[in-house]
């Protein structure tokens, strides 16, 4: 099982598949690198070396109560990239992972990153405020924290329904996806899952987006109920200097099914030389 140890002693688990120019995948909350498994295989089959890591406190990485802030998450990613000595790198992040790769690329990726891709990503900032009226009210995130504390096993099963859009009329419900969301969520430490809510909801990525000096593909589901597009991709695309916005009409937050197939095709087109 490949792991490396960060500068503060945290062990980070990762997978490393395929050969070719490197791609790093960062997962969303409260999941693990397993959320990217199918996409990672498809990218590896297309001729890329694909690395997926479990964020600290999540999956098979150290169940630590320390370092749950976006600067540390981005530093962990930077240290993994340096450990593997990756260059000509594409970084791809979903949801919280989208914020992670944006901050990493802006603050650590100079000379290593060639392109960035986000999907259903949290930047610029999720929480509602006077300057971000389209954002999600803080009470929603308070409710997530309460659910994690009260009965996170059931909470994750319930959350998976809107995550994958299974509450929409005509949706084909996959109990397997719901169960796997719960499985991955339960691998995250309680403190990590709880504290990461503040990280993904309140971190402001505005300056990171402005600082990006490489092309970015901003992908978002048009029916994303977790990270609504109006406060996320619609704003992020206006802040970057070299961005492409791709909206998947009717697609949910979770990357699966037809949405996954379309996203992979667009990623491969975007990252091709």
């Amino acid at each position: 099982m490949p792991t490396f140890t960060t500068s503060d002693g945290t062990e980070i688990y990762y997978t490393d598949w395929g050969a070719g120019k490197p791609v790093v995948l960062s997962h969303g909350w409260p999941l693990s690198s397993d959320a990217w498994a199918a996409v990672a295989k498809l990218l590896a089959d297309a001729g890329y070396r694909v690395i997926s890591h479990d964020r600290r406190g999540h999956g098979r990485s150290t169940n630590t109560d320390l370092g749950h802030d976006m600067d540390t998450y981005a530093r962990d990613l930077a240290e993994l990239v340096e450990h593997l000595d990756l260059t000509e790198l594409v970084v791809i992040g979903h949801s919280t992972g989208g914020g992670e790769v944006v901050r990493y690329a802006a603050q650590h990726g100079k000379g290593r990153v060639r392109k960035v891709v986000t999907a259903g990503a949290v930047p610029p900032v999720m929480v509602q405020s006077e300057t971000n009226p389209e954002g999600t009210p803080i009470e929603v995130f308070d409710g997530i924290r309460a659910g994690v504390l009260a009965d996170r096993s059931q909470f994750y099963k319930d959350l998976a329904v809107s995550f994958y859009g299974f509450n929409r009329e005509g949706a084909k419900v996959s109990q397997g996806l719901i169960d796997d969301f719960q499985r991955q969520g339960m691998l995250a430490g309680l403190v990590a899952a709880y504290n990461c809510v503040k990280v993904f909801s309140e971190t402001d990525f505005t300056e990171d987006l402005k600082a990006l000096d490489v092309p970015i593909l901003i992908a978002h589901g048009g029916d994303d109920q977790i990270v609504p597009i109006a406060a996320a991709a619609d704003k992020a695309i206006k802040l970057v200097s070299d961005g492409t916005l791709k909206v998947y009409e009717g697609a949910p937050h979770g990357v699966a099914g037809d949405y996954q197939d379309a996203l992979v095709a667009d990623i491969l087109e975007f990252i091709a030389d």
Side-chain angles (χ1 to χ4, degrees):
M1 180 169 92
T3 63
F4 91 103
T5 302
T6 68
S7 55
D8 71 353
T10 302
E11 192 172 70
I12 301 293
Y13 167 88
Y14 65 96
T15 61
D16 189 347
W17 298 348
K21 287 189 175 180
V23 176
V24 169
L25 300 168
S26 291
H27 62 82
W29 177 94
L31 305 175
S32 71
S33 58
D34 288 354
W36 277 123
V39 172
K41 182 186 185 305
L42 292 170
L43 294 178
D45 289 348
Y48 293 93
R49 179 185 178 187
V50 185
I51 296 98
S52 308
H53 68 293
D54 291 354
R55 188 170 297 116
R56 63 170 54 216
H58 296 69
R60 289 138 293 199
S61 293
T62 301
N63 184 4
T64 179
D65 63 339
L66 302 175
H68 294 292
D69 59 83
M70 192 52 68
D71 286 340
T72 301
Y73 293 164
R75 188 191 69 203
D76 288 346
L77 178 53
E79 291 183 4
L80 172 60
V81 169
E82 291 163 7
H83 171 74
L84 298 174
D85 194 22
L86 304 177
T87 57
E88 287 292 292
L89 173 64
V90 173
V91 288
I92 303 175
H94 174 248
S95 196
T96 303
E100 181 177 286
V101 299
V102 164
R103 178 148 296 182
Y104 162 73
Q107 299 190 11
H108 304 277
K110 191 76 171 179
R112 290 189 182 270
V113 174
R114 66 184 182 94
K115 288 184 179 178
V116 178
V117 179
T118 64
V122 297
V125 60
M126 279 193 73
V127 72
Q128 188 180 74
S129 66
E130 289 185 5
T131 58
N132 187 37
E134 300 85 1
T136 302
I138 188 67
E139 290 79 11
V140 172
F141 303 114
D142 290 341
I144 294 173
R145 281 183 276 262
V148 168
L149 280 181
D151 181 356
R152 70 187 193 278
S153 181
Q154 186 60 49
F155 178 76
Y156 293 147
K157 280 197 171 185
D158 295 341
L159 180 62
V161 174
S162 56
F163 188 94
Y164 289 109
F166 295 151
N167 56 346
R168 296 310 197 201
E169 185 177 354
K172 183 179 179 181
V173 177
S174 168
Q175 189 61 47
L177 279 175
I178 293 172
D179 292 346
D180 195 48
F181 186 96
Q182 181 209 35
R183 177 191 68 83
Q184 292 184 56
M186 291 304 291
L187 287 173
L190 176 60
V191 174
Y194 186 94
N195 288 354
C196 190
V197 177
K198 181 179 179 65
V199 180
F200 72 66
S201 63
E202 298 183 34
T203 303
D204 190 337
F205 298 93
T206 299
E207 296 307 315
D208 300 298
L209 290 165
K210 291 178 179 178
L212 286 180
D213 59 359
V214 296
I216 179 172
L217 171 64
I218 300 173
H220 216 101
D223 190 31
D224 190 324
Q225 300 171 64
I226 306 299
V227 182
I229 191 171
D234 286 350
K235 287 191 171 185
I237 192 63
K238 298 174 183 177
L239 295 169
V240 296
S241 61
D242 187 0
T244 300
L245 175 63
K246 177 71 176 185
V247 180
Y248 301 82
E249 295 300 334
H253 187 62
V255 179
D258 292 342
Y259 177 23
Q260 177 177 278
D261 295 342
L263 178 62
V264 169
D266 288 336
I267 289 173
L268 288 172
E269 180 179 359
F270 180 73
I271 69 177
D273 291 326

